Amino acid sequence: MKSDARRQEVVSKAAELFDQAGYYTTNMSELARAVGLEKPTLYHYFSGKDEILFWIHEEFINHLIEKGESRDSSTLTATAELEATFKDLLELMDSHRGHVRVFFEHGRELTEEHQSTIRTKRDKYQAIVQGIVERGIKEKEFRDLDPRLVTLAIFGMCNWSYQWYRSGGALQSDEIASFFFSLLLDGLRV
């Protein structure tokens, strides 16, 4: 197996294990066994558990940034682009569940340097989403509200759902994304 593919396998498996058993209780020996490596070989790919933790964070935020940057704002309305953003965020509950929990629960365990890197990327993603909201306001698709506060409300709705969402439940992640999006756009009023 190529080195990059093996590293990716380790990161994905570590995200699963950290989600299931916790970051602190999972050790490098368990991780090595889970991916079919000897512990010394695992250290060939990563310097330690803290580096693996960083790569989980890195993959998570890079995935969102790539999705956000891949859409062509010239062909999508702000409304359509914002709905796609909701779906991006909720889809991660199915495709990268372990990454989601690790990202939101173990950022403090990153080194200062790694925290700074992830914070910069998180801010970049927030700016992408806030830019959609600002465009929607400018183009009169959305009410003239504080774009930053709207963006934080979106993240609040979507990011917390990892606590209760389960694949295979009554609603799929894209259905929940559509519901959240509708709730944001229409509110609760009759």
Side-chain angles (χ1 to χ4, degrees):
M1 185 177 272
K2 291 189 176 193
S3 182
D4 288 345
R6 180 57 95 173
R7 285 176 60 87
Q8 173 62 46
E9 179 188 10
V10 171
V11 168
S12 294
K13 182 53 80 174
E16 286 177 32
L17 290 174
F18 296 168
D19 179 34
Q20 294 164 1
Y23 173 72
Y24 291 111
T25 58
T26 303
N27 62 44
M28 291 293 275
S29 296
E30 292 166 330
L31 183 53
R33 271 193 305 279
V35 293
L37 294 173
E38 295 295 322
K39 188 175 172 183
T41 305
L42 184 57
Y43 282 104
H44 169 74
Y45 294 103
F46 298 97
S47 62
K49 199 165 75 164
D50 58 331
E51 184 185 2
I52 296 169
L53 181 66
F54 168 71
W55 283 106
I56 293 169
H57 280 76
E58 183 86 349
E59 281 185 11
F60 175 86
I61 198 64
N62 284 347
H63 178 78
L64 287 173
I65 290 170
E66 287 167 14
K67 288 273 201 175
E69 290 179 337
S70 71
R71 280 189 274 286
D72 184 1
S73 296
S74 66
T75 61
L76 291 173
T77 65
T79 302
E81 194 171 3
L82 191 59
E83 184 173 18
T85 299
F86 271 80
K87 290 183 179 182
D88 292 345
L89 289 164
L90 273 292
E91 176 268 335
L92 288 168
M93 304 303 159
D94 289 321
S95 67
H96 291 77
R97 179 164 182 81
H99 288 71
V100 174
R101 180 176 299 277
V102 169
F103 189 87
F104 292 119
E105 293 184 3
H106 297 293
R108 290 185 194 124
E109 283 76 54
L110 293 170
T111 65
E112 283 296 322
E113 178 185 351
H114 288 161
Q115 283 183 35
S116 177
T117 299
I118 297 303
R119 192 172 22 261
T120 299
K121 289 185 177 194
R122 184 201 62 209
D123 292 348
K124 179 179 182 176
Y125 183 66
Q126 182 174 330
I128 290 169
V129 176
Q130 186 170 322
I132 298 168
V133 173
E134 290 168 350
R135 183 167 66 93
I137 292 168
K138 180 181 176 190
E139 295 173 359
K140 307 290 186 215
E141 290 181 57
F142 307 147
R143 287 185 2 204
D144 189 7
L145 300 171
D146 180 338
R148 182 177 180 277
L149 197 53
V150 171
T151 302
L152 293 175
I154 291 166
F155 292 151
M157 289 173 76
C158 295
N159 293 351
W160 191 252
S161 62
Y162 82 91
Q163 290 283 337
W164 51 264
Y165 174 75
R166 297 294 175 262
S167 294
L171 295 174
Q172 298 304 306
S173 61
D174 63 329
E175 294 170 311
I176 294 169
S178 293
F179 174 81
F180 281 178
F181 179 69
S182 175
L183 185 62
L184 179 77
L185 281 187
D186 302 330
L188 291 174
R189 280 198 198 139
V190 175

